[in-house]
Amino acid sequence: MAAAGGGREATTSGCGLKRRYAPHDQEEETMNQDQPSKEDRCGRIWSGIDLLKDVTENKHVLPTGLEGIDRLLGGGLRQGQLTEVTGPSSSGKTQVCLHSASHAPVKHTGVVMYLDTSNSFSPSRIATIIDGTNDLSDQKGFDLLSKERLKTVMQSIICESVFDIFGMFEVLHQLEVSLLNEKVIGDGRRICLLIIDSISSLLAPIIGGKYPQGRSMMISLAMILKKLAYEHNLAVLVTNHMVSAGNGAVKPALGESWKSVPHVRLMISREHSSNICTGTVLKHTLLASGRTAKFVLP
C-alpha cells in the first residue's frame, strides 16, 4: 500500500480506481469507542416485528438493469443476501455482473465493489451499457448526459483484481474494516453491492485435493460473505461455472457443500449465436424454484 495524505492508506486497483481504508490505529479506536459490542450486533434476539421491519425497510432490491432477470428475481438483487449466477461458458454471467455494476450506483446512489478473479472487468463494456450503443468509436453519439452518467458510475465502482483465495480473504477483511469505519464517520455513500466474478475460479483449485483444508476455506469464505451481506446490508453477487453431472447433463460447480450457501441461485443459458438468454431460478428464499424468463443481453 502507498501512503496517502491525512494518515490514510490507499491502493490503486488494476482498473485505476483507488481503495481507501482507515489506518490501523483509527480502526481500533473507532471499534473500541463507537461500535456496538459483538453481543449487540450478533447476539440480539429479534422479534417477528423486528425481522419484518428489517426486511421491509433495510433489505432493498437492486435492479440488474436486465428486465427479464429483474422480473424473475422479484426486482433484482436483494440486499442482505448472496445471489449466485451460474451457467456454461459464454452464457452471459460476466455481462450480468457488468450490467448490475452499471445500474446500482445510478438507482441506489451507492458504491459497487467489483472483485475480478479472471480479468473480466471491462470499462469499455460499462460505457456501452450506459450509452446504449455497441460502438464507442463514434464519440458524437456519446452525448454529454451519457458522459456525465458514465463518470458517476465509474467513480462509484471500486475494482480489485484477486487471483487466489488468500488474497480474497485479505481483501474481504479490509472491506469489513472499511465498512465499519464508514458506518462511524458516515460519508454518505456506502457500498451497496459486492460482486465476485468468478468465485469458482478461486475455489475450484483448492477443493480438488491439493489443499487438505480447501473445503474448510470454502466454507469460511461463504460465512464471511453472508456475514458482510447481512450485517452491512450488502447485496452480494457471485458467478459460478458449470461442470459435468454425467449422462451429458451439467450442474453448478463447487459441490454439495457450496450448494446450500447462496440465498438465490440463478442459472442462465444463451441461445446459439444469439443474444437471447434464458434465466432459470434454481433456488430462492421468497419465490418458487423452476421459474424461467427470457432476457436480452444488448
Side-chain angles (χ1 to χ4, degrees):
M1 287 188 177
R8 298 174 72 88
E9 293 181 335
T11 59
T12 302
S13 72
C15 300
L17 300 169
K18 290 185 177 180
R19 285 214 329 256
R20 293 176 297 150
Y21 300 114
H24 185 66
D25 56 350
Q26 182 181 345
E27 171 200 345
E28 291 181 346
E29 180 181 350
T30 56
M31 289 184 67
N32 290 337
Q33 295 182 4
D34 298 308
Q35 283 299 305
S37 66
K38 183 177 180 181
E39 290 74 21
D40 291 335
R41 290 189 289 113
C42 301
R44 175 184 172 188
I45 297 176
W46 292 70
S47 70
I49 294 296
D50 291 332
L51 291 170
L52 178 61
K53 184 177 180 180
D54 184 55
V55 169
T56 56
E57 296 185 7
N58 298 325
K59 301 299 188 285
H60 301 297
V61 174
L62 306 181
T64 65
L66 296 165
E67 184 178 348
I69 288 182
D70 291 338
R71 185 171 61 251
L72 190 60
L73 298 183
L77 310 172
R78 186 168 297 274
Q79 290 180 293
Q81 293 190 350
L82 190 157
T83 299
E84 177 193 86
V85 174
T86 185
S89 177
S90 301
S91 58
K93 300 185 293 295
T94 293
Q95 300 305 316
V96 173
C97 292
L98 294 174
H99 273 81
S100 301
S102 302
H103 282 77
V106 176
K107 299 296 183 180
H108 194 73
T109 64
V111 177
V112 177
M113 187 166 196
Y114 196 114
L115 302 184
D116 183 5
T117 71
S118 53
N119 290 322
S120 62
F121 183 83
S122 172
S124 61
R125 181 62 183 135
I126 295 283
T128 61
I129 290 170
I130 292 171
D131 185 45
T133 68
N134 292 319
D135 184 11
L136 288 183
S137 61
D138 182 10
Q139 292 298 318
K140 294 180 181 179
F142 206 62
D143 59 29
L144 181 61
L145 182 61
S146 295
K147 289 180 179 179
E148 287 300 315
R149 188 180 177 201
L150 175 60
K151 180 179 178 181
T152 298
V153 169
M154 294 307 293
Q155 288 178 337
S156 302
I157 299 176
I158 304 169
C159 182
E160 182 77 8
S161 296
V162 184
F163 298 119
D164 61 60
I165 188 65
F166 306 105
M168 178 62 72
F169 281 132
E170 174 63 20
V171 168
L172 293 179
H173 168 70
Q174 296 197 57
L175 171 61
E176 184 171 29
V177 170
S178 179
L179 288 169
L180 289 170
N181 185 55
E182 288 175 4
K183 182 180 288 188
V184 173
I185 63 177
D187 64 3
R189 299 188 74 226
R190 301 184 67 251
I191 292 176
C192 62
L193 174 61
L194 170 63
I195 297 173
I196 303 177
D197 184 28
S198 78
I199 201 162
S200 51
S201 296
L202 297 184
L203 292 177
I206 68 171
I207 61 175
K210 181 179 179 181
Y211 292 91
Q213 302 301 319
R215 292 197 176 274
S216 296
M217 287 191 285
M218 179 178 71
I219 297 304
S220 295
L221 177 60
M223 293 176 64
I224 292 170
L225 291 175
K226 296 178 84 168
K227 178 173 180 285
L228 284 170
Y230 184 76
E231 292 189 0
H232 299 285
N233 211 32
L234 305 181
V236 178
L237 173 64
V238 304
T239 63
N240 187 8
H241 66 273
M242 306 286 280
V243 295
S244 173
N247 298 321
V250 293
K251 63 180 180 180
L254 305 179
E256 293 297 314
S257 298
W258 178 263
K259 183 179 180 180
S260 62
V261 171
H263 297 93
V264 176
R265 218 172 199 192
L266 176 68
M267 181 177 69
I268 62 175
S269 60
R270 185 189 297 225
E271 295 181 10
H272 182 66
S273 300
S274 170
N275 62 346
I276 300 175
C277 302
T278 301
T280 303
V281 176
L282 301 182
K283 176 183 177 183
H284 201 290
T285 55
L286 300 174
L287 305 172
S289 300
R291 299 169 70 245
T292 65
K294 298 280 187 180
F295 64 97
V296 177
L297 286 175

